Amino acid sequence: MIEKKYKSQPTMKAAVFHQAYEPLSIEDVPLKPLKSTEIRVRIETCSVCHVDLQYVDQGLATAKAPPLILGHEISGVVEETGKNVTLFRSGNRVIVPGTMSCGKCLACKSWNETQCDHLKILGNHVDGGYAEYITIDQNQLVSLPDEFPFELGSLISNVFVGAYHLVYDRVNIHQGETVVIFGSGGFGLSLLQMAKLKQAHVYMVDIFDWKLNIARDYNADGILNSNKCKVCEEGICDMIGGKADVVIETTGTPRTMVQAMNVLHKGGRLVLSGYSENTLPFLAARIIMNEMSLIGSIGTPLRKIPDVIKLVNDGKIRWQEMITYHFPLSQINEAFNTLRMGQSIRTVIHPNQKDI
Ligand SMILES: [Zn+2]
Ligand SMILES: [Zn+2]
């Protein structure tokens, strides 16, 4: 009886974000009708990113005002296709990249789609993945290989492709360079692995030993718990035997941005990739007098996903250790708690499974 009623109504379950400092609420949300080139994807996994916590816990503004469905690390199965869809069919397994570019502006046409004039982030500009379904244009999807689990698809959709873009396109890390990464979370561990593929010397800084131990297991050249040193910068310089060529800040906090700047040598590149609305906490003269470069990196370019899939397929990227917990959609707030408590690298939501 209940099932019949449910089927007759075009709605889906979703975890809706209404305002900061309040838990997400599980609601029935109308399913949007499909446009001709759109696809309805049944979401199998959406993993929780620290940015989602910033919206809820710190009042970081979303581009679209709430109510909004958060979540930008999505993988699933094509459920239904619009009448002009040619690229996928029902039952295909897909990755939904975390950012969408328009394909039409100058940046998109010159292969700089992460600089798109109309760049949209899922779960920020438009509804995201903490829901049973997402509706998306066929051009925004990439096939997920049959042998790849969905949670691996979720990692690829955001942190792996984002890290690949940063290391290969934005910073172009060279063989033999010394790289320090602040934050041994999902993005940091992805960056570590990409930078090691470039044969750099990579050092990780975090405040949790258990996360740093994964970094060591992933062949970091050194790890440092910054809570255990008197002066973080001294600990880092001791560890790396001098100063760094490249420092990547993934946490977005002003204190670590200053520490990152302090361990960079003249001519070095400071990379900011931890999303933050803070004002930069250092003097312009530091950049000028030391001829440093300041580099931003955002986005998950869809056309790079096949390169990343190949790296994973070739066994060059490890990932199992990065998946810490699994939860059904109904327990999304408990899932967020695992990140709040520093207990998780990636916690995976399974919107279409009742029990896990
Ligand atoms: Zn993210
Ligand atoms: Zn564009």
Side-chain angles (χ1 to χ4, degrees):
M1 203 44 199
I2 292 166
E3 189 154 313
K4 197 174 169 195
K5 186 182 162 206
Y6 180 70
K7 274 185 182 164
S8 67
Q9 288 179 344
T11 62
M12 64 173 177
K13 292 272 181 227
V16 183
F17 169 63
H18 284 282
Q19 60 181 47
Y21 317 113
E22 299 265 328
L24 302 184
S25 89
I26 306 293
E27 297 171 12
D28 291 315
V29 172
L31 279 176
K32 294 177 198 151
L34 284 183
K35 292 183 189 146
S36 65
T37 59
E38 280 185 338
I39 287 177
R40 180 132 35 239
V41 175
R42 186 178 76 241
I43 299 173
E44 294 296 336
T45 55
C46 181
S47 43
V48 183
C49 171
H50 275 275
V51 174
D52 297 328
L53 271 193
Q54 288 189 55
Y55 300 135
V56 178
D57 291 2
Q58 293 169 28
L60 178 70
T62 51
K64 176 192 173 289
L68 178 71
I69 301 168
L70 304 176
H72 54 265
E73 304 189 349
I74 306 165
S75 186
V77 176
V78 173
E79 173 90 3
E80 201 185 336
T81 55
K83 65 180 189 312
N84 294 332
V85 167
T86 53
L87 302 176
F88 295 92
R89 57 173 195 268
S90 165
N92 286 164
R93 306 166 88 249
V94 289
I95 294 169
V96 186
T99 55
M100 297 190 292
S101 43
C102 75
K104 293 177 185 140
C105 70
L106 192 62
C108 282
K109 288 198 162 145
S110 51
W111 302 109
N112 291 313
E113 62 269 47
T114 51
Q115 294 163 22
C116 172
D117 288 343
H118 311 286
L119 190 80
K120 289 194 170 77
I121 302 175
L122 296 177
N124 183 356
H125 296 81
V126 294
D127 281 339
Y130 300 135
E132 288 176 309
Y133 299 96
I134 188 166
T135 302
I136 201 147
D137 192 89
Q138 63 171 348
N139 288 312
Q140 304 291 348
L141 297 174
V142 178
S143 291
L144 175 70
D146 282 346
E147 63 278 17
F148 281 27
F150 289 108
E151 55 264 43
L152 173 55
S154 279
L155 287 178
I156 292 171
S157 76
N158 187 48
V159 290
F160 283 176
V161 180
Y164 183 86
H165 171 61
L166 186 153
V167 168
Y168 283 74
D169 303 335
R170 297 292 299 144
V171 187
N172 193 14
I173 290 169
H174 306 304
Q175 180 178 8
E177 285 194 306
T178 298
V179 178
V180 174
I181 299 172
F182 281 77
S184 189
F187 196 51
L189 290 167
S190 307
L191 290 166
L192 158 66
Q193 299 193 77
M194 300 293 173
K196 289 302 292 180
L197 290 175
K198 286 275 201 166
Q199 296 177 297
H201 306 293
V202 189
Y203 299 86
M204 304 294 287
V205 183
D206 202 284
I207 56 171
F208 292 104
D209 283 335
W210 74 271
K211 294 184 184 180
L212 289 165
N213 288 338
I214 297 175
R216 183 164 47 204
D217 193 36
Y218 283 6
N219 291 326
D221 292 276
I223 54 174
L224 183 79
N225 186 328
S226 56
N227 271 355
K228 292 184 182 168
C229 15
K230 247 191 202 148
V231 181
C232 169
E233 288 91 328
E234 284 174 10
I236 292 171
C237 291
D238 281 351
M239 170 172 66
I240 68 180
K243 289 196 166 184
D245 299 303
V246 176
V247 183
I248 308 173
E249 205 296 308
T250 73
T251 70
T253 53
R255 198 169 73 109
T256 50
M257 286 182 204
V258 171
Q259 291 167 342
M261 171 73 86
N262 289 344
V263 299
L264 204 58
H265 67 52
K266 288 191 176 192
R269 287 106 85 204
L270 174 62
V271 189
L272 301 182
S273 66
Y275 191 70
S276 160
E277 287 186 324
N278 295 313
T279 305
L280 292 181
F282 40 76
L283 294 174
R286 288 290 302 281
I287 303 262
I288 298 164
M289 295 307 292
N290 295 300
E291 293 205 327
M292 288 168 174
S293 303
L294 183 59
I295 301 174
S297 188
I298 182 74
T300 56
L302 176 137
R303 83 192 146 84
K304 298 292 168 85
I305 289 182
D307 296 359
V308 174
I309 286 176
K310 185 170 185 325
L311 291 177
V312 177
N313 230 347
D314 292 348
K316 294 190 171 151
I317 300 288
R318 289 173 57 188
W319 62 275
Q320 273 98 342
E321 300 77 6
M322 293 167 63
I323 304 286
T324 321
Y325 292 105
H326 297 268
F327 284 95
L329 186 67
S330 58
Q331 291 177 37
I332 184 124
N333 293 303
E334 288 88 332
F336 273 39
N337 273 340
T338 62
L339 269 83
R340 278 188 189 105
M341 309 295 281
Q343 294 168 343
S344 170
I345 301 287
R346 275 297 178 271
T347 291
V348 181
I349 305 295
H350 298 257
N352 279 286
Q353 284 184 37
K354 298 273 172 291
D355 302 298
I356 290 160

